[in-house]
Amino acid sequence: MSARFLILLSLILTLFSCEKKKVELISPSIIPAPQSLQVNPGYFTINEATTVSNNDDFTASHDFLINYLEQVTGREWETKYSDNNAIILEYDAQISSKEGYSIISKDRNITIKASTDAGAFYGVQSLIQLIPLENYQSGVHIPAVTIKDQPGFAYRGMHLDVSRHMFDVDFIKKYIDAMAMLKMNNFHWHLTDDQGWRIEIKKYPRLQEVAAYRDSTLIGHYNDTPQQYDGKRYGGFYTQEEVREVIAFAKARHITVIPEIELPGHAQAAIAAYPELGCAGQKVNVATKWGVFENIYCPSEETFTFLENVLDEVVALFPSKYIHIGGDEAPKTQWKTSAVAQKVIQENGLKDEHELQSYFIQRIEKYLNSKGRQIIGWDEILEGGLAPNATVMSWRGTKGAVEAAKAGHDVIMTPTSHCYFDYYQSENDNEPLAIGGFLPLEKVYHFNPIPDELNEEESKFIKGVQGNVWTEYMTTADQVEYMAFPRMLAMSEVAWTQPAHKNYDNFINRLEYFHQRLDVLDINYANHLYEVEGKLNDQQQYELSTKTLGKEIRFTTDGSVPNSTSTLYDQPIPFTDDLTIKAGVFKDEKLLGKLFTQEFIFHKGVGATISINKEPHKSYAGSGAAGLINGIKGSDSRYGDSEWLGFWGEDIEIEIEFETEVEVNEIELRFYHAPGQWIYAPEKYYLKLETEKGIISDLITTPKENENLVISNYNSERFKGYEDLKFSKLRLVIPNYGTIPDSNQGAGNKAWTFIDEIIIR
Ligand code: ACM
């Protein structure tokens, strides 16, 4: 080697390494996480000369990529065949997953390989997430990576209810765009319900004139007494032209739009327009409040003709294999007294109204099958016999999913416990009004869509998952975004990423970075990353934590508002007396999120031994039985928090054993009572106290009125005259409320019992 060459080489290397040092590369933060991602040395630079090479006609992917690059770089992009300074889309028969892809980015080029346009499209989505969000003018650098990826589930869905509140086509497209970014592929468009019919059906103009509008809307919460209304006409519908526009927009993003036309229940708007479709033979109005209504379609030939005509137009518009026909929450009261309904039952040898619902659904299924389509229905379609080819959307827990999968039917998982994004996502009291429940990001993230009860063969029927966005309490597009994001991101990882590659802490780090992307997209996401979380440990000490790295927690115990000079949290806080902790997350002396407050009641039950004869429902297991005597009250508005225990339809017995005998002067019980959410405080319960010498049986038997909504610390028992006795055990017998009566939300289903802190003084 000549000296001149060596000098030249070292000069090149020096220049090269100087150049390298200046470049700050982003750490790949792709959501949903790919199955494998390896960061290599080096990077690719997008500059003014970079082109796209579409080697194998991946048209939708190519167009989407060019459109994105033109938007962010502000210049025109050329498509030409090149492998230098190019982003290459290439067919690869080796990639067996139809939605799988690989990306290799290196100094010379970036190659996305797939065996279908859908795969290439997901490669493009990952690539876009590798491109930094700024400095397009000076050239952006993409880290050298090798990615191999494919989805865990075939069905990756998001739902949107546009009946309760309606959102314009621009918003629907924004929602679909966000879904595409997250590699979701099914948009479930809930188009009809009691409160408004939102799709133009040309054969039935009164659906547009009457069913699409309501005279007034409930304001505040359904559980408020008295209920109040705004007195304003509300409504609208999507024209068939707009529907086609949405479908085409979605198709270009590999998203199928699945329309939902609700039947036989949730049909009051249609019946308001055409009263002959109902069974009651009376005029009804489009519903102005939320919930379940008695007015359902009558199973007459006239109704079937109407529905078939409606579905003809729906099928002509929507190319989706699936049509969702609802099937949920259809009260049978009117069918019980309808001559028409009873005649259909008799003539078809049906046992009861449940079999009539099944007959109704099966007729519709047959009709849609004859058009080459398949039905999806909510899990109530299992009652009275499942239609032969139906796919079941399991929402009331996972029981429906298990039953359907064992019977060989496809299933999509949307249980309320993990998939209802209309539930609260933070315990913070000043969250915007929501329907109830509590579904924090972490719970969505940890959802395992495969029910434990299924074996490997049966599990194959679980086709995927979906997040549901019911909009009773979301009046604006901004609010929909607040409720849907970031939970939709967590759901995308449930749907796409194999469990072995999921990691919540890692997801949170990626999410913190992803916020910038959501900002650019002008998405009004909820940010609860900078909140304090608390947990009582086994040593009866309180641990504080926050989700993101590089922050401080500061706290007070004297009731004052913490600031940047308050005590730095560095070890668990002992809880040996009544205590109030206020804490906040700080960075650079600035408070980031909202303040956190936790009160502790150091009562006589704290530290005792507790057992319950039944396990709480696994979706509402709080912090277990011990959480009932840990000194912490559950939230007054989030029954799904870590304190409340939920039992579905079960009678329960609780036993508390004190370490040493204690005087008991007062016991305060807390039951959640929210009939709108199927939760009922018990009508009565039994309290027994025991001394060491034996049982003092039936010391108290207490029937109670459920006079109070939402929360009931009214169930407080004061004991006068037992001061001289000391007790070793407390027993509580709590019968379930029973079946939810007619005319109530969830009528016919078992009621839930929710209980939290048992405060013993
Ligand atoms: C539903 O939430 N009624 C399916």
Side-chain angles (χ1 to χ4, degrees):
M1 221 179 276
S2 76
R4 243 177 55 199
F5 179 79
L6 275 177
I7 290 165
L8 189 65
L9 184 69
S10 71
L11 191 65
I12 289 169
L13 284 175
T14 311
L15 279 174
F16 190 65
S17 60
C18 286
E19 168 74 8
K20 279 267 136 98
K21 272 197 198 114
K22 270 193 281 174
V23 170
E24 259 193 48
L25 295 173
I26 61 165
S27 164
S29 299
I30 297 170
I31 296 178
Q35 311 305 348
S36 93
L37 184 154
Q38 183 189 315
V39 179
N40 306 318
Y43 55 88
F44 177 80
T45 302
I46 293 181
N47 56 31
E48 330 60 75
T50 311
T51 57
V52 171
S53 183
N54 185 15
N55 296 4
D56 291 288
D57 295 331
F58 287 143
T59 315
S61 309
H62 166 264
D63 293 355
F64 191 93
L65 177 62
I66 290 281
N67 188 35
Y68 180 82
L69 292 168
E70 291 192 344
Q71 258 182 41
V72 297
T73 60
R75 72 163 170 92
E76 280 199 16
W77 276 68
E78 196 187 348
T79 305
K80 66 172 190 184
Y81 188 81
S82 165
D83 78 341
N84 187 24
N85 195 9
I87 301 170
I88 304 161
L89 302 178
E90 195 163 287
Y91 176 78
D92 183 350
Q94 306 277 21
I95 296 178
S96 56
S97 161
K98 284 209 293 283
E99 295 180 301
Y101 69 92
S102 70
I103 299 179
I104 297 181
S105 65
K106 50 185 197 264
D107 294 10
R108 186 176 168 78
N109 58 35
I110 297 177
T111 308
I112 296 175
K113 291 184 180 177
S115 57
T116 67
D117 194 274
F121 183 78
Y122 297 131
V124 165
Q125 293 305 327
S126 288
L127 172 63
I128 287 173
Q129 293 192 30
L130 289 171
I131 303 177
L133 287 156
E134 49 204 11
N135 300 326
Y136 298 109
Q137 269 58 42
S138 54
V140 289
H141 307 292
I142 294 164
V145 293
T146 305
I147 296 176
K148 290 198 174 79
D149 201 8
Q150 66 181 70
F153 287 99
Y155 185 105
R156 305 177 300 279
M158 280 302 299
H159 151 286
L160 184 65
D161 164 18
V162 293
S163 171
R164 278 51 179 264
H165 286 99
M166 189 180 169
F167 312 96
D168 64 21
V169 169
D170 283 347
F171 177 73
I172 303 294
K173 288 181 177 171
K174 188 178 178 190
Y175 193 79
I176 288 172
D177 235 353
M179 287 175 61
M181 167 177 74
L182 299 168
K183 303 186 176 79
M184 294 192 148
N185 61 358
N186 282 285
F187 172 51
H188 172 173
W189 205 0
H190 185 80
L191 286 163
T192 73
D193 215 305
D194 304 300
Q195 296 80 4
W197 181 286
R198 304 274 175 248
I199 177 170
E200 180 187 24
I201 300 295
K202 292 188 191 284
K203 198 175 176 78
Y204 296 104
R206 284 177 62 80
L207 290 177
Q208 286 69 253
E209 291 154 16
V210 178
Y213 295 90
R214 57 178 180 255
D215 291 336
S216 189
T217 302
L218 184 79
I219 46 180
H221 197 276
Y222 180 92
N223 290 339
D224 292 351
T225 40
Q227 291 179 329
Q228 289 187 33
Y229 295 84
D230 67 2
K232 292 184 196 141
R233 182 173 148 91
Y234 181 94
F237 61 91
Y238 302 99
T239 65
Q240 295 202 351
E241 201 47 46
E242 288 173 323
V243 168
R244 278 192 209 94
E245 192 183 322
V246 166
I247 293 167
F249 184 87
K251 181 164 183 254
R253 286 154 183 77
H254 287 283
I255 290 175
T256 303
V257 184
I258 298 176
E260 181 178 354
I261 306 297
E262 274 268 21
L263 55 92
H266 286 293
Q268 187 161 313
I271 295 168
Y274 297 99
E276 60 274 23
L277 299 172
C279 257
Q282 64 195 36
K283 193 175 156 5
V284 294
N285 293 322
V286 177
T288 54
K289 66 175 175 182
W290 324 125
V292 176
F293 298 86
E294 302 288 348
N295 294 297
I296 72 170
Y297 289 122
C298 210
S300 64
E301 287 311 306
E302 207 172 349
T303 298
F304 285 111
T305 304
F306 166 82
L307 289 171
E308 287 172 11
N309 288 335
V310 165
L311 290 170
D312 283 349
E313 292 192 34
V314 168
V315 164
L317 283 169
F318 291 85
S320 61
K321 174 176 155 195
Y322 294 106
I323 306 292
H324 201 305
I325 50 77
D328 59 320
E329 300 179 317
K332 309 296 186 297
T333 326
Q334 292 188 351
W335 282 358
K336 282 183 187 151
T337 54
S338 150
V340 176
Q342 292 305 316
K343 189 154 169 263
V344 178
I345 288 179
Q346 217 174 38
E347 285 179 355
N348 292 280
L350 306 173
K351 205 170 76 205
D352 57 16
E353 290 74 25
H354 292 293
E355 288 200 358
L356 177 55
Q357 159 138 342
S358 170
Y359 165 86
F360 199 114
I361 304 274
Q362 292 197 32
R363 258 188 82 158
I364 297 295
E365 174 179 66
K366 217 183 221 167
Y367 187 74
L368 284 168
N369 285 171
S370 78
K371 307 268 165 192
R373 307 305 177 92
Q374 301 283 320
I375 65 162
I376 302 180
W378 301 109
D379 59 48
E380 284 93 332
I381 66 170
L382 283 153
E383 293 161 11
L386 190 51
N389 306 310
T391 295
V392 172
M393 211 168 244
S394 188
W395 74 282
R396 295 175 303 173
T398 56
K399 198 166 151 273
V402 172
E403 193 181 329
K406 282 188 186 289
H409 285 257
D410 285 347
V411 174
I412 295 153
M413 302 299 291
T414 67
T416 52
S417 56
H418 293 80
C419 301
Y420 270 46
F421 297 172
D422 54 341
Y423 285 15
Y424 285 106
Q425 55 194 314
S426 159
E427 293 189 52
N428 220 297
D429 284 336
N430 39 25
E431 281 292 289
L433 183 71
I435 193 162
F438 182 50
L439 178 53
L441 186 66
E442 184 165 4
K443 189 167 181 185
V444 178
Y445 191 85
H446 288 304
F447 181 44
N448 173 10
I450 309 287
D452 295 342
E453 298 91 330
L454 299 183
N455 64 30
E456 201 177 325
E457 218 31 58
E458 293 158 348
S459 300
K460 292 185 181 140
F461 291 105
I462 307 293
K463 294 298 167 194
V465 288
Q466 176 174 288
N468 288 348
V469 180
W470 299 101
T471 59
E472 287 92 335
Y473 297 92
M474 299 173 216
T475 56
T476 64
D478 261 8
Q479 243 176 307
V480 171
E481 290 177 2
Y482 185 85
M483 299 304 276
F485 297 91
R487 288 184 284 194
M488 193 196 286
L489 278 67
M491 187 56 79
S492 80
E493 210 138 301
V494 171
W496 181 277
T497 309
Q498 298 289 352
H501 302 128
K502 278 173 66 191
N503 177 302
Y504 185 64
D505 291 339
N506 180 273
F507 170 73
I508 288 301
N509 291 339
R510 283 177 286 130
L511 174 60
E512 193 177 18
Y513 176 75
F514 211 94
H515 279 173
Q516 296 166 49
R517 194 166 292 282
L518 296 176
D519 287 334
V520 170
L521 297 172
D522 193 26
I523 289 173
N524 179 41
Y525 56 93
N527 181 359
H528 298 293
L529 290 189
Y530 305 131
E531 288 179 359
V532 175
E533 291 177 7
K535 190 180 99 196
L536 204 58
N537 68 21
D538 294 342
Q539 288 86 51
Q540 207 57 33
Q541 300 166 321
Y542 204 59
E543 295 176 2
L544 302 179
S545 62
T546 189
K547 293 187 185 97
T548 62
L549 303 172
K551 318 287 186 307
E552 288 175 344
I553 297 173
R554 292 186 179 270
F555 72 100
T556 65
T557 53
D558 62 1
S560 65
V561 174
N563 59 35
S564 62
T565 61
S566 301
T567 312
L568 178 70
Y569 174 81
D570 57 5
Q571 60 184 18
I573 304 161
F575 161 43
T576 49
D577 207 341
D578 286 358
L579 176 68
T580 300
I581 295 174
K582 288 182 190 279
V585 174
F586 291 82
K587 185 170 168 93
D588 300 333
E589 306 193 352
K590 255 182 56 196
L591 176 69
L592 296 182
K594 290 175 182 155
L595 282 180
F596 166 90
T597 302
Q598 182 64 62
E599 282 179 36
F600 299 85
I601 309 157
F602 197 74
H603 60 83
K604 289 175 179 165
V606 174
T609 307
I610 183 166
S611 63
I612 309 179
N613 70 333
K614 299 272 165 59
E615 288 292 321
H617 191 278
K618 67 176 188 294
S619 300
Y620 298 103
S623 38
L628 297 184
I629 48 168
N630 64 359
I632 304 174
K633 284 186 188 178
S635 160
D636 285 4
S637 54
R638 321 278 198 267
Y639 53 81
D641 69 8
S642 54
E643 298 304 319
W644 288 100
L645 299 188
F647 299 85
W648 197 9
E650 290 179 315
D651 303 335
I652 52 173
E653 264 187 72
I654 298 172
E655 186 177 286
I656 295 172
E657 196 165 350
F658 303 106
E659 206 163 289
T660 51
E661 285 190 303
V662 294
E663 229 178 66
V664 176
N665 303 310
E666 185 185 335
I667 295 175
E668 185 181 324
L669 290 180
R670 289 161 56 84
F671 296 108
Y672 210 89
H673 188 68
Q677 281 71 57
W678 309 10
I679 300 169
Y680 286 74
E683 288 198 302
K684 57 174 185 255
Y685 60 86
Y686 305 92
L687 244 177
K688 297 173 189 185
L689 285 166
E690 293 179 20
T691 67
E692 287 242 286
K693 297 193 184 74
I695 299 174
I696 297 186
S697 67
D698 295 331
L699 182 66
I700 313 275
T701 303
T702 316
K704 277 280 175 187
E705 290 289 314
N706 295 328
E707 67 229 352
N708 224 353
L709 284 176
V710 185
I711 193 81
S712 55
N713 24 11
Y714 59 89
N715 291 21
S716 178
E717 302 295 346
R718 279 172 214 285
F719 307 116
K720 295 274 183 304
Y722 293 102
E723 283 86 355
D724 52 334
L725 281 181
K726 289 199 168 184
F727 298 99
S728 57
K729 262 188 200 167
L730 182 157
R731 238 184 254 280
L732 253 174
V733 177
I734 304 169
N736 179 256
Y737 179 86
T739 302
I740 300 171
D742 283 353
S743 307
N744 288 277
Q745 302 301 310
N749 285 284
K750 295 174 292 181
W752 286 82
T753 306
F754 271 78
I755 180 167
D756 87 331
E757 195 69 11
I758 300 166
I759 301 165
I760 304 162
R761 293 189 173 93

